[in-house]
Amino acid sequence: MKKIIMMFALLTLPFAMQAQTKFHDVEANEAVGAVKKIEASVMGRTQVITFTEEGKMQQEGMTDAQYDANGYLQSVKMSAQGMDMSISFKWENGKLKSQSMEMMGQPVSVTYKYDEKGVVTSQSMNMGGQEMEMIYTDIKLDAKGNWISRKTSMMGQEMEQTRTIEYYE
């Protein structure tokens, strides 16, 4: 009987470990929790990103995602609107610290600042040596603590970003 229990335990261990795998792609998209889908809109353009129950991002045009041993996204290749790019991510204390990519032959890096609740309050972008900071105001959160509306100004143009978040329950 002990042998049967031991064999069963050895067989179930890999499945249990696989089920416990957690990816942090939700956090890479400025959200927390059991997010199923984010539909974001800015300046009339909408983007939809879905996530598995384990937190792994699924997006059209996304390939070659690389993760570290803790499930944090390290790099990914994206193809959108005829443009291909590789994006690399840096993490600090469970939060996305920065991401970098090359767009149209120019290096682009984005760094993030958070408030005490873990909500992004600004992004600093360096595009080929030109610095730009986007400070977010009028941030509205949903019941789970994720932003659903915020305002910013970019190159003198005021804009509002909104998103709808669907959760696994």
Side-chain angles (χ1 to χ4, degrees):
M1 184 68 166
K2 285 184 183 178
K3 255 186 181 179
I4 292 173
I5 292 171
M6 188 65 112
M7 281 181 58
F8 180 73
L10 287 172
L11 286 172
T12 59
L13 186 61
F15 295 108
M17 289 173 67
Q18 184 178 11
Q20 292 174 9
T21 301
K22 171 82 170 117
F23 297 95
H24 298 278
D25 295 3
V26 172
E27 289 90 340
N29 287 277
E30 299 179 41
V32 294
V35 174
K36 185 176 190 176
K37 178 170 86 170
I38 296 176
E39 189 171 325
S41 179
V42 63
M43 296 176 64
R45 298 192 61 203
T46 301
Q47 177 185 29
V48 177
I49 303 169
T50 59
F51 302 88
T52 65
E53 288 188 74
E54 294 81 28
K56 196 169 193 178
M57 183 170 38
Q58 299 173 318
Q59 185 177 2
E60 188 177 327
M62 183 178 129
T63 60
D64 297 331
Q66 302 294 314
Y67 295 87
D68 69 8
N70 295 313
Y72 288 96
L73 186 60
Q74 300 298 300
S75 65
V76 67
K77 291 184 181 176
M78 295 291 291
S79 179
Q81 298 177 335
M83 199 169 27
D84 294 326
M85 66 183 114
S86 294
I87 306 169
S88 61
F89 301 86
K90 291 197 174 148
W91 298 83
E92 187 175 278
N93 299 322
K95 296 282 183 200
L96 183 61
K97 180 180 179 178
S98 66
Q99 60 181 357
S100 57
M101 65 202 89
E102 192 167 301
M103 285 183 8
M104 297 184 291
Q106 294 290 323
V108 176
S109 64
V110 179
T111 57
Y112 300 87
K113 290 183 185 171
Y114 297 85
D115 67 10
E116 65 281 347
K117 295 177 190 171
V119 176
V120 174
T121 57
S122 71
Q123 291 182 13
S124 296
M125 188 179 301
N126 183 319
M127 296 173 56
Q130 287 192 314
E131 291 279 339
M132 176 179 17
E133 184 174 25
M134 293 186 299
I135 299 171
Y136 298 112
T137 61
D138 298 324
I139 300 170
K140 292 179 179 60
L141 306 176
D142 67 7
K144 309 271 187 185
N146 291 313
W147 73 266
I148 54 172
S149 175
R150 63 187 183 185
K151 293 180 181 175
T152 190
S153 176
M154 186 165 73
M155 299 190 310
Q157 184 175 352
E158 298 289 320
M159 67 178 126
E160 182 177 13
Q161 298 174 332
T162 59
R163 65 184 188 174
T164 304
I165 302 175
E166 185 179 324
Y167 297 90
Y168 288 101
E169 296 299 327

